[in-house]
Amino acid sequence: PLRLDIKRKLTARSDRVKSVDLHPTEPWMLASLYNGSVCVWNHETQVNKHTQFQFDVEYLHHGDKQLKAKRIYDMLIKLWDWEKKWSCSQVFEGHTHYVMQIVINPKDNNQFASASLDRTIKVWQLGSSSPNFTLEGHEKGVNCIDYYSGGDKPYLISGADDRLVKIWDYQNKTCVQTLEGHAQNVSCVSFHPELPIIITGSEDGTVRIWHSSTYRLESTLNYGMERVWCVCGLRGSNNVALGYDEGSIIIKLGREEPAMSMDTSGKIIWAKHSEVQQANLKAMGDTEIKDGERLPLAVKDMGSCEIYPQTIQHNPNGRFVVVCGDGEYIIYTAMALRNKSFGSAQEFVWAHDSSEYAIRESNSVVKIFKNFKEKKSFKPDFGAEGIYGGFLLGVRSVNGLAFYDWENTELIRRIEIQPKHIFWSDSGELVCIATEDSFFILRYLSEKVAASQENNEGVTEDGIEDAFEVCGEIQEVVKTGLWVGDCFIYTSSVNRLNYFVGGEIVTIAHLDRTMYLLGYIPKDDRLYLGDKELNIVSYSLLVSVLEYQTAVMRRDFGMADKVLPTIPKEQRTRVAHFLEKQGFKQQALAVSSDSEHRFELALQLGELKIAYQLAVEAESEQKWKQLAELAISKCQFSLAQECLHHAQDYGGLLLLATASGNAAMVGKLAEGAERDGKNNVAFMTYFLQGK
Ligand SMILES: *[C@@H]1O[C@H](CO)[C@@H](O)[C@H](O)[C@H]1NC(C)=O
Ligand SMILES: *[C@@H]1O[C@H](CO)[C@@H](O)[C@H](O)[C@H]1NC(C)=O
Ligand SMILES: *[C@@H]1O[C@H](CO)[C@@H](O)[C@H](O)[C@H]1NC(C)=O
Ligand SMILES: *[C@@H]1O[C@H](CO)[C@@H](O)[C@H](O)[C@H]1NC(C)=O
Ligand SMILES: *[C@@H]1O[C@H](CO)[C@@H](O)[C@H](O)[C@H]1NC(C)=O
């Protein structure tokens, strides 16, 4: 299926609408009503306020009455020459009943077609008053027609009171297809100028959307506005206007997710309708890039695709791209878009190994290919409702998820979960399984798997028990994701760009719209994302930070120390907080460049010297108090005394002096307290000395 996403953008109530049109550049819809008014609606402001052209109403009414007197419709078609003061320059005669609609052939402006209640369609040439030919086949009056504007097919479409829609080849003059489904007279038909769809409207109140190549019914829309009278699509736009008995509606047709993919070198391939285009990040040169700003990419056309692409995906090494749609897939070379292999499939996934892939042929059969040759076809135990590529081959069924070995399709592990997406890290050690409402990070224990396979221990009907270890579950909905080292970067359902590492979530950015992760280029220290309108933006994310965090997660402090010098000073504190959360306080203290953070860490670690140094620099009473407490707990009384002095903590000094039985200290404290007006302490100290 096309998986078109249909959204209602505007509902405009009015008298009966007989014709609608969309402005080519402004967000306006024009509707002409049966009562003689013409309305313009702005569909972007969403305010259902309409401008009404009052000036013509009287005239239109007058005209309407005259037309009524002439029974509105006519059997003749007339050509009016506006250069000659609208004189009638030609009459086309031939229909034996009213003519309902004419359309000019977009590929030949001298040719037009007419639909008539005499059950025929006639095709005419300007200059010849009799029809060039007639298409017969409908059993009742024909209400509407349209030409196909794409270059590849000489097609006309018609809709009639026999409730049928017919597609005609006007070169060999045969009906190539009949679309059945409408329950009443068909009142309007349209080939969409860009999307591979046919839109039909009927007096049964529904608008139907059909695939223009397979002729499959894709959707039936019923907005409860009574009979449908007109439909209008626009080139370069996903908006379609519909006119009804009770008003007009604009719907937006499109896909939720753009078909787009980036390889590891920064070449991005996407599909704009059926056209495949390429942009190269490298070609931007040294253009300064700001976070979240649209990148000024030069776009190169690569040609059109034989199927309407729903997804595009590079293989791991970037040499090939697979395009999927309409139950078909085609593998192209990424450079020149030359087809390498193709076939039918419900789904296609690449393996971790660039030469391998799998297709889901049906709900029960999965096939694995290597070097474009079928290697194995198998029927997973509980069926196959979805497949997932990567390190292991994932198969979803009603029973949950099963991971298989690509090599021999042996079951590795069955997990009771209904995944939406699965993302494997490059090393194959970590995997994210994202579901409807959360995501899990699992560690794949390949050594245990190998051991179990060897000695057959710990193997149940659900596979190898110790194959995975759960590292965490996070209550967030992942839309798109990717791994860099052991850091999982993702976009969430609330439009956050986050990354997850070691149990911690770091927010990189709040996005203002839905964006899809394309990839990460370590050399640029940047993350790239695309949106539905095929805009590409990027966000800075330092590879050194990610590498450092990955090294820490792997307890590889040798590596971490090597990476540290490459982390800019301003990022050090963030890294230190990460270390602290992982329980590496000593390392955090060494890395942090924030004195507050360092002081906290020094206290926690009992590092008196460092804490003292920081307290001296900070000159903060609070710090001296904290340090005094630590010093006391460590029986460092002279240090405690100094700290309490700095903190002007007389109560604390009194306690320290009396508890240690230090008469000299009590004496000194008495004088100091009196001088500073701390009368309670002064009294107590004098009293204790018997003074
Ligand atoms: C025609 O219909 C429109 C919208 O329903 C209304 O605003 C307008 O007044 C009507 N015009 C006449 C002449 O009845
Ligand atoms: C129809 O039009 C074509 C192109 O102008 C012309 O060659 C052909 O003779 C016409 N056929 C008839 C029946 O008029
Ligand atoms: C007319 O052309 C269509 C393709 O456009 C083809 O499917 C059909 O078989 C042709 N019919 C005849 C009678 O040649
Ligand atoms: C369909 O068209 C016929 C004329 O062919 C007409 O009599 C009938 O009322 C129309 N149906 C509806 C629902 O208007
Ligand atoms: C693949 O390419 C060949 C030759 O260029 C062409 O004939 C064929 O139709 C193509 N097939 C697909 C499915 O793209």
Side-chain angles (χ1 to χ4, degrees):
L2 277 176
R3 281 187 239 140
L4 283 177
D5 192 39
I6 301 167
K7 278 201 192 109
R8 184 149 37 150
K9 274 189 82 182
L10 173 84
T11 305
R13 298 257 166 202
S14 71
D15 279 30
R16 184 183 303 166
V17 178
K18 290 300 280 186
S19 129
V20 281
D21 200 5
L22 290 166
H23 195 282
T25 54
E26 299 293 336
W28 298 341
M29 172 179 70
L30 182 84
S32 55
L33 312 186
Y34 194 69
N35 77 5
S37 289
V38 174
C39 301
V40 176
W41 305 78
N42 186 324
H43 57 78
E44 213 138 76
T45 55
Q46 285 293 329
V47 184
N48 287 4
K49 190 177 69 179
H50 67 274
T51 314
Q52 198 175 319
F53 291 97
Q54 296 291 352
F55 57 91
D56 266 10
V57 172
E58 273 307 301
Y59 170 79
L60 282 169
H61 265 265
H62 182 64
D64 203 28
K65 269 183 212 125
Q66 277 195 332
L67 285 172
K68 269 184 191 135
K70 290 170 74 184
R71 287 206 212 84
I72 307 178
Y73 300 108
D74 204 329
M75 292 186 275
L76 301 179
I77 298 163
K78 293 180 178 175
L79 179 68
W80 305 85
D81 192 339
W82 67 277
E83 278 181 338
K84 292 181 185 146
K85 296 190 178 166
W86 291 108
S87 60
C88 179
S89 65
Q90 201 178 344
V91 177
F92 301 86
E93 218 169 329
H95 279 302
T96 56
H97 204 318
Y98 302 144
V99 175
M100 302 303 285
Q101 190 180 4
I102 70 155
V103 277
I104 294 174
N105 186 343
K107 289 166 223 157
D108 175 4
N109 287 340
N110 278 317
Q111 193 191 65
F112 68 92
S114 58
S116 163
L117 291 188
D118 68 8
R119 305 176 182 185
T120 68
I121 296 149
K122 289 186 189 292
V123 176
W124 313 73
Q125 298 287 330
L126 292 184
S128 162
S129 63
S130 56
N132 191 293
F133 56 87
T134 302
L135 300 172
E136 287 174 81
H138 281 295
E139 288 179 1
K140 285 192 179 168
V142 186
N143 295 316
C144 46
I145 40 168
D146 193 21
Y147 272 103
Y148 175 68
S149 59
D152 47 338
K153 293 169 205 155
Y155 284 2
L156 258 173
I157 184 172
S158 61
D161 282 345
D162 59 8
R163 305 173 184 182
L164 300 178
V165 173
K166 284 182 182 286
I167 290 129
W168 309 85
D169 182 313
Y170 60 78
Q171 264 163 13
N172 65 17
K173 303 176 187 66
T174 52
C175 172
V176 292
Q177 190 76 23
T178 300
L179 310 182
E180 291 178 49
H182 278 298
Q184 259 303 338
N185 305 340
V186 178
S187 42
C188 50
V189 290
S190 167
F191 274 111
H192 193 277
E194 259 167 22
L195 299 169
I197 53 170
I198 291 166
I199 307 168
T200 60
S202 157
E203 294 181 33
D204 65 9
T206 67
V207 168
R208 285 170 191 251
I209 297 178
W210 317 75
H211 194 293
S212 65
S213 315
T214 64
Y215 305 114
R216 188 181 43 216
L217 177 64
E218 297 283 339
S219 316
T220 302
L221 311 175
N222 191 339
Y223 293 115
M225 301 266 274
E226 297 300 329
R227 292 173 294 181
V228 187
W229 294 113
C230 43
V231 52
C232 172
L234 178 64
R235 183 172 290 280
S237 154
N238 285 3
N239 293 332
V240 171
L242 308 167
Y244 291 85
D245 267 339
E246 296 184 351
S248 30
I249 281 178
I250 295 181
I251 53 173
K252 197 175 164 110
L253 300 170
R255 273 175 314 217
E256 185 52 41
E257 223 174 310
M260 168 196 272
S261 176
M262 182 171 100
D263 71 5
T264 49
S265 76
K267 283 204 198 74
I268 305 170
I269 288 184
W270 64 65
K272 192 170 189 176
H273 301 298
S274 295
E275 298 304 311
V276 180
Q277 298 180 324
Q278 192 193 59
N280 191 349
L281 294 174
K282 270 194 211 140
M284 284 192 306
D286 294 334
T287 322
E288 203 195 319
I289 299 174
K290 287 210 186 89
D291 280 3
E293 263 180 25
R294 185 168 173 259
L295 302 181
L297 291 171
V299 176
K300 193 174 100 189
D301 283 322
M302 297 187 76
S304 73
C305 188
E306 273 119 301
I307 55 177
Y308 189 70
Q310 248 120 45
T311 61
I312 293 188
Q313 197 61 51
H314 279 93
N315 73 335
N317 70 18
R319 283 191 53 208
F320 298 103
V321 283
V322 64
V323 173
C324 300
D326 296 339
E328 308 270 329
Y329 71 90
I330 306 178
I331 301 171
Y332 292 104
T333 58
M335 288 291 278
L337 212 69
R338 257 198 302 276
N339 76 39
K340 188 80 189 161
S341 186
F342 53 89
S344 50
Q346 301 296 317
E347 259 182 292
F348 178 108
V349 294
W350 292 109
H352 179 69
D353 170 349
S354 280
S355 66
E356 262 185 300
Y357 56 87
I359 61 161
R360 188 167 67 87
E361 198 180 62
S362 66
N363 280 355
S364 60
V365 177
V366 175
K367 286 182 172 171
I368 297 179
F369 291 76
K370 192 170 175 86
N371 296 320
F372 310 105
K373 284 194 190 76
E374 185 177 325
K375 191 174 93 173
K376 179 137 191 173
S377 168
F378 77 112
K379 289 190 172 181
D381 280 345
F382 300 96
E385 299 196 339
I387 52 173
Y388 306 88
F391 224 74
L392 295 175
L393 172 61
V395 178
R396 175 168 51 86
S397 72
V398 281
N399 265 38
L401 170 70
F403 280 116
Y404 294 92
D405 191 324
W406 281 95
E407 210 43 55
N408 49 24
T409 63
E410 257 176 46
L411 177 68
I412 299 289
R413 186 83 178 109
R414 213 184 298 284
I415 303 175
E416 260 180 58
I417 196 171
Q418 286 294 323
K420 267 182 77 184
H421 310 286
I422 294 181
F423 307 96
W424 282 91
S425 72
D426 274 345
S427 65
E429 279 169 39
L430 292 166
V431 60
C432 166
I433 305 181
T435 69
E436 259 343 311
D437 38 42
S438 67
F439 68 91
F440 295 82
I441 304 288
L442 278 68
R443 185 177 296 282
Y444 178 56
L445 307 169
S446 56
E447 280 148 29
K448 294 213 170 154
V449 169
S452 282
Q453 281 170 336
E454 189 90 343
N455 58 27
N456 239 355
E457 271 170 31
V459 184
T460 69
E461 59 177 15
D462 284 336
I464 298 158
E465 281 179 328
D466 290 340
F468 290 96
E469 169 188 282
V470 180
C471 304
E473 178 186 359
I474 296 89
Q475 296 296 331
E476 258 197 298
V477 181
V478 171
K479 283 217 133 177
T480 55
L482 57 90
W483 289 86
V484 178
D486 288 2
C487 307
F488 179 61
I489 304 168
Y490 63 96
T491 56
S492 77
S493 57
V494 292
N495 290 339
R496 290 237 177 107
L497 176 58
N498 289 345
Y499 77 92
F500 174 88
V501 59
E504 195 194 354
I505 294 172
V506 181
T507 296
I508 303 160
H510 293 258
L511 308 169
D512 60 0
R513 60 190 186 281
T514 304
M515 304 283 309
Y516 302 88
L517 269 170
L518 287 172
Y520 179 73
I521 308 257
K523 185 176 58 57
D524 301 353
D525 283 320
R526 286 199 160 264
L527 207 49
Y528 295 89
L529 300 95
D531 70 8
K532 206 162 145 183
E533 269 73 48
L534 309 174
N535 297 309
I536 310 292
V537 302
S538 74
Y539 287 90
S540 137
L541 182 60
L542 296 180
V543 68
S544 52
V545 172
L546 298 178
E547 277 177 353
Y548 188 83
Q549 290 177 324
T550 298
V552 170
M553 290 314 295
R554 294 179 183 168
R555 307 289 185 270
D556 183 352
F557 287 100
M559 184 58 166
D561 290 344
K562 234 183 265 166
V563 176
L564 186 62
T566 63
I567 298 178
K569 286 265 182 310
E570 63 275 11
Q571 295 286 335
R572 299 264 170 105
T573 305
R574 203 172 108 195
V575 169
H577 280 287
F578 170 77
L579 285 164
E580 185 189 353
K581 283 207 181 120
Q582 300 308 314
F584 304 118
K585 290 186 180 153
Q586 202 73 51
Q587 285 85 347
L589 177 61
V591 169
S592 184
S593 56
D594 172 21
S595 55
E596 294 290 329
H597 188 217
R598 295 190 64 216
F599 183 73
E600 283 299 320
L601 288 166
L603 285 187
Q604 287 175 35
L605 290 163
E607 292 278 358
L608 289 171
K609 262 194 201 138
I610 295 175
Y612 178 83
Q613 196 53 44
L614 288 163
V616 169
E617 284 164 19
E619 292 178 7
S620 128
E621 264 184 31
Q622 182 57 35
K623 284 205 172 55
W624 285 118
K625 267 188 193 151
Q626 283 173 282
L627 184 54
E629 230 168 82
L630 179 65
I632 290 169
S633 76
K634 295 209 162 229
C635 304
Q636 302 275 336
F637 297 126
S638 65
L639 174 62
Q641 189 181 347
E642 186 187 344
C643 295
L644 290 168
H645 261 295
H646 283 296
Q648 302 193 10
D649 182 349
Y650 292 94
L653 284 167
L654 176 58
L655 181 69
L656 185 61
T658 52
S660 58
N662 187 336
M665 188 178 166
V666 174
K668 222 175 121 196
L669 177 60
E671 284 159 28
E674 188 185 4
R675 190 178 57 240
D676 292 348
K678 304 285 177 192
N679 293 340
N680 282 339
V681 174
F683 173 82
M684 184 56 88
T685 40
Y686 281 124
F687 182 80
L688 283 171
Q689 293 176 85
K691 289 188 178 166

